[in-house]
Amino acid sequence: MSETEFDSDPDLEADAQAAVPLVGIIMGSQSDWATLSHAATQLETLGIGFESRIVSAHRTPDRLVEYATGAAGRGLQVIIAGAGGAAHLPGMCSAWTLLPVLGVPVESHALNGVDSLLSIVQMPAGVPVGTLAIGRAGAVNAALLAAAILALSDEALKARLEAWRALQTAAVPEEPAADSAVP
Ligand code: RP5
């Protein structure tokens, strides 16, 4: 079963709550959207309301402070922050809010995202960032982790998350298809 089939499953469609942003997706640049859009797609699949903004720690520092300090008051419960290179956005965001911040290292051109990963993961003790994998996998898992956090206090979302996991499990064949073998 493909991701598209997951997306079209009626049991996983957004409910009325999806219009209310509970997750904030922020990224350092427009160029990060190719990665962070995978988090957005996953949240949509699970019917979780979100918003997405470009917030650069170094190019728009005032926007970062305004966003992070206002996030909880506006009803956000989790922030997914993606950045590449000297990726200080997730850590600086976490410095300005008590909300859980999930960091997604964007795959950079120069160092394939290893720079982003080390920048985000190596937070000194005291200001946490939950760091995910580099690139698409990290973006998707950030959304799934956000869903798991929100599901602690949302039984309907918990049921949707369980249904999504069950579909994923059911989509794994027991034997490899012959035509997928590497020549
Ligand atoms: C970071 O610099 C962004 O998060 C982005 O990953 C990287 C490159 O930004 P652009 O030069 O593409 O705007 O701030």
Side-chain angles (χ1 to χ4, degrees), residues 17-84:
Q17 289 297 313
V20 179
L22 298 177
V23 178
I25 301 176
I26 59 175
M27 64 218 79
S29 168
Q30 173 66 45
S31 64
D32 296 329
W33 180 238
T35 300
L36 274 299
S37 62
H38 293 291
T41 300
Q42 188 63 55
L43 292 173
E44 280 173 356
T45 298
L46 292 169
I48 298 171
F50 68 92
E51 62 180 28
S52 51
R53 300 283 186 277
I54 298 172
V55 179
S56 170
H58 52 276
R59 289 171 177 153
T60 65
D62 290 342
R63 193 186 300 176
L64 168 61
V65 176
E66 187 180 351
Y67 187 90
T69 57
R74 294 190 299 104
L76 296 183
Q77 296 187 23
V78 181
I79 294 175
I80 295 172

